Amino acid sequence: MSRDPYFQMLFRSCCFASKASASLLQDKPQADRTRVGGATDDLLSEGGIGATVITASTKEGGNTAARNLSRLQTRNNTDKTLQQAYSQINRISDKLGLTKTITDTAQHYYKLVYESKGARGRGLAAVAAAVLFCACRQEGLPRTFKEIEAVVPDATKKDIGKAYKTIMACLQAEEGAATANPKRVAVSDYMRRFCSHLGMNQKESRACIDVADNAVPREGTTRHNSPWDGKSPNSIAAAIIYMVTQLPAATNKPSTTTIALECSIAEGTLQSTYRDLYTEKAALIPKWFAKTEDLQQLQQPRERY
């Protein structure tokens, strides 16, 4: 080494920098390379991952290998069936414009029902539609059987209804009463969507929702016996829309045929429910939307035959 002081100082500096770099590299955490494969999926069996070591046992004459292979094939078949069902649920959900939360809830319900073998004998399309119906009610965004049937060509309303009853029994056994007895569906839960599809403005929609809450109070509020008790929510919603759109404050006046078609009911059902609501019109229609004299413009209901 040279005796030049400047050279010696430069050499020490290089050595110090080299040691510091080596220390930093040693202190830097190394990537964990022990985990391989994709992320787990709780909607598949064993999280969608798993390893089966197939080994032959001399004592059992190779039976262990056969059992391991059978388990692997069963798991693969289960995952394939679940994935097909989830694809069906996704397709129905997309057609109905449902949220991801509802879709995920429906897929969770399907897995519970499939693993409990409660859906045996039911068609895939009917069960997929039924779990979506359950999930919509559970999330407070209900759809009618007819709305779901319209986008599921492989299942009828009757098939979906039967599958729904079976699924509710399974969910009660698996998750308890909270899931198996979803909150009561209010008429106003349907109203905003129906009004939007009929092209009604915000004021008209608000009036319909207020009438719906007066006609069928939400859960937890006092209810009184009324002539429309027992009617389906979409029937009551259709009759309310028909009533509100007759008033002077309403600018959009769809026909009974258009309203019945949108609400998935028969026109005769709409007229029958309107007759029941008409008797309580003064108590149902909010004062901010219609004056007492405005109610005289409501059409008289058709007579019962």
Side-chain angles (χ1 to χ4, degrees):
M1 181 184 297
S2 171
R3 296 179 180 274
D4 186 349
Y6 175 76
F7 179 82
Q8 291 178 355
M9 182 178 65
L10 182 62
F11 178 76
R12 290 194 197 97
S13 220
C14 292
C15 289
F16 177 78
S18 178
K19 289 179 181 179
S21 298
S23 175
L24 287 173
L25 288 173
Q26 290 174 357
D27 293 341
K28 183 179 179 181
Q30 298 296 315
D32 182 6
R33 301 181 183 277
T34 58
R35 186 186 183 285
V36 294
T40 60
D41 186 347
D42 293 335
L43 293 174
L44 300 178
S45 62
E46 298 185 17
I49 63 172
T52 302
V53 180
I54 301 176
T55 57
S57 170
T58 55
K59 293 183 179 180
E60 299 180 8
N63 288 338
T64 302
R67 284 199 302 270
N68 288 339
L69 181 58
S70 177
R71 284 183 57 200
L72 180 61
Q73 291 172 339
T74 300
R75 192 184 75 226
N76 289 341
N77 290 338
T78 297
D79 287 348
K80 184 178 179 180
T81 301
L82 290 174
Q83 287 169 342
Q84 288 175 344
Y86 299 156
S87 296
Q88 179 85 330
I89 291 170
N90 285 332
R91 284 194 295 271
I92 300 172
S93 183
D94 289 343
K95 290 178 180 179
L96 292 172
L98 302 178
T99 64
K100 186 177 185 301
T101 301
I102 292 176
T103 305
D104 291 345
T105 301
Q107 291 177 347
H108 170 65
Y109 287 169
Y110 186 91
K111 186 182 180 187
L112 289 177
V113 173
Y114 179 81
E115 290 179 342
S116 67
K117 296 180 172 56
R120 282 186 172 180
R122 304 290 179 192
L124 174 60
V127 177
V131 293
L132 271 171
F133 180 84
C134 294
C136 286
R137 288 174 62 93
Q138 188 66 26
E139 297 299 328
L141 296 169
R143 294 294 190 273
T144 64
F145 280 125
K146 284 191 176 181
E147 284 182 285
I148 295 178
E149 180 193 25
V151 297
V152 186
D154 298 331
T156 65
K157 178 183 173 182
K158 185 177 181 181
D159 294 334
I160 299 170
K162 287 182 177 179
Y164 170 71
K165 291 179 180 179
T166 302
I167 287 166
M168 294 305 287
C170 291
L171 292 179
Q172 186 173 20
E174 293 293 328
E175 292 206 329
T179 299
N181 298 299
K183 54 188 176 183
R184 180 170 59 86
V185 176
V187 176
S188 51
D189 291 333
Y190 292 93
M191 194 63 75
R192 192 177 301 278
R193 188 174 75 258
F194 289 159
C195 291
S196 175
H197 290 175
L198 289 167
M200 299 172 66
N201 61 39
Q202 186 174 359
K203 183 180 179 181
E204 295 162 350
S205 300
R206 183 67 258 171
C208 288
I209 292 172
D210 284 357
V211 175
D213 285 336
N214 290 335
V216 185
R218 290 182 176 272
E219 197 169 10
T221 56
T222 304
R223 298 190 64 196
H224 64 282
N225 294 329
S226 56
W228 52 88
D229 279 351
K231 301 276 188 178
S232 66
N234 49 320
S235 298
I236 299 173
I240 289 171
I241 292 172
Y242 177 53
M243 177 182 285
V244 168
T245 54
Q246 293 181 59
L247 296 168
T251 56
N252 190 337
K253 301 184 182 295
S255 66
T256 55
T257 303
T258 302
I259 296 172
L261 185 63
E262 173 57 37
C263 298
S264 304
I265 63 170
E267 194 170 348
T269 303
L270 187 156
Q271 294 289 355
S272 173
T273 310
Y274 172 70
R275 187 187 306 114
D276 295 333
L277 292 170
Y278 183 84
T279 60
E280 302 284 340
K281 58 183 182 294
L284 296 176
I285 298 174
K287 298 292 188 286
W288 63 264
F289 189 77
K291 299 177 182 178
T292 303
E293 55 268 26
D294 293 336
L295 303 183
Q296 303 303 318
Q297 298 196 25
L298 292 175
Q299 290 188 15
Q300 291 285 336
R302 295 177 184 176
E303 295 294 332
R304 296 181 186 272
Y305 295 103

